[in-house]
């Protein structure tokens, strides 16, 4: 297997459909939410932040609005990134009313990252894999209280 194919496989393993449910689980279980809050926010946020963007992606891929799995054409990213950014905003509002302040701050951070990605994508093409991977590492380190030194 050549290096390019290996990198392609790794980039799809460490991708939105894999990392996002893990991060949602970590956030739900490590931000001081009680069982009632988890029962409300778990399915709600899974729908808003995982199911809707994933289904939308595959619908756009099938419909031809996205030409390939990696969304290599910048202008094809705008709609899905815009909608995903809005779902994160709705999630932050929901968490503000139902969740803990700690979980709310993480949702606002996710929204701001998505808003930044969406804004930058309007003019330039950036690596969403890199942003997702780095954000996931920082969030996991924060939630699990890992010590770097």
């Amino acid at each position: 297997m050549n290096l390019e194919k290996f990198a392609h496989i790794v980039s799809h393993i460490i991708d939105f459909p894999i990392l996002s449910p893990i991060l949602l689980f970590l956030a739900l279980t490590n931000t001081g939410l009680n069982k009632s809050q988890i029962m409300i926010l778990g399915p709600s946020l899974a729908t808003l932040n995982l199911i809707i963007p994933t289904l939308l992606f595959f619908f756009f891929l099938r419909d031809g609005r996205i030409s390939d799995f990696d969304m290599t054409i910048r202008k094809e990213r705008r709609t899905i990134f815009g909608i995903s950014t809005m779902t994160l905003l709705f999630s932050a509002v929901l968490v503000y009313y139902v969740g803990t302040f700690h979980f709310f701050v993480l949702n606002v951070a996710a929204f701001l990252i998505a808003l930044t990605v969406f804004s930058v994508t309007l003019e330039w093409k950036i690596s969403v894999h890199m942003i997702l991977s780095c954000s996931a590492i920082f969030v996991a380190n924060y939630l699990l209280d890992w010590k770097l030194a």
Side-chain angles (χ1 to χ4, degrees):
M1 175 182 331
N2 66 20
L3 192 55
E4 185 175 326
K5 185 172 182 158
F6 176 74
H8 189 73
I9 290 169
V10 169
S11 75
H12 286 294
I13 291 171
I14 306 172
D15 204 355
F16 178 83
I18 304 293
L19 283 180
S20 296
I22 293 169
L23 290 176
L24 179 59
F25 174 78
L26 285 175
L28 287 169
T29 58
N30 290 287
T31 55
L33 296 172
N34 62 39
K35 286 186 180 189
S36 298
Q37 290 170 313
I38 292 172
M39 294 298 290
I40 294 168
L41 292 173
S44 301
L45 297 180
T47 300
L48 278 170
N49 299 329
L50 304 175
I51 296 169
I52 289 174
T54 302
L55 289 177
L56 196 61
F57 173 80
F58 286 110
F59 173 73
F60 284 177
L61 192 60
R62 189 190 78 207
D63 196 39
R65 293 188 215 178
I66 298 173
S67 58
D68 62 358
F69 196 80
D70 292 321
M71 292 191 296
T72 52
I73 299 173
R74 180 179 50 86
K75 70 178 181 176
E76 294 176 354
R77 297 175 173 196
R78 293 177 184 163
T79 303
I80 197 161
F81 286 2
I83 292 169
S84 296
T85 301
M86 293 308 298
T87 63
L88 285 166
L89 176 61
F90 296 145
S91 295
V93 171
L94 177 64
V95 170
Y96 177 79
Y97 288 107
V98 178
T100 61
F101 180 74
H102 189 192
F103 194 43
F104 171 69
V105 169
L106 286 174
N107 275 269
V108 169
F111 165 71
L112 292 174
I113 290 169
L115 182 62
T116 302
V117 168
F118 173 67
S119 300
V120 169
T121 301
L122 292 174
E123 189 65 32
W124 300 285
K125 185 177 169 191
I126 58 174
S127 173
V128 179
H129 282 105
M130 185 259 323
I131 292 169
L132 179 63
S133 298
C134 290
S135 298
I137 289 166
F138 287 125
V139 168
N141 277 307
Y142 172 73
L143 288 172
L144 298 175
D145 199 28
W146 291 347
K147 305 293 183 209
L148 297 177

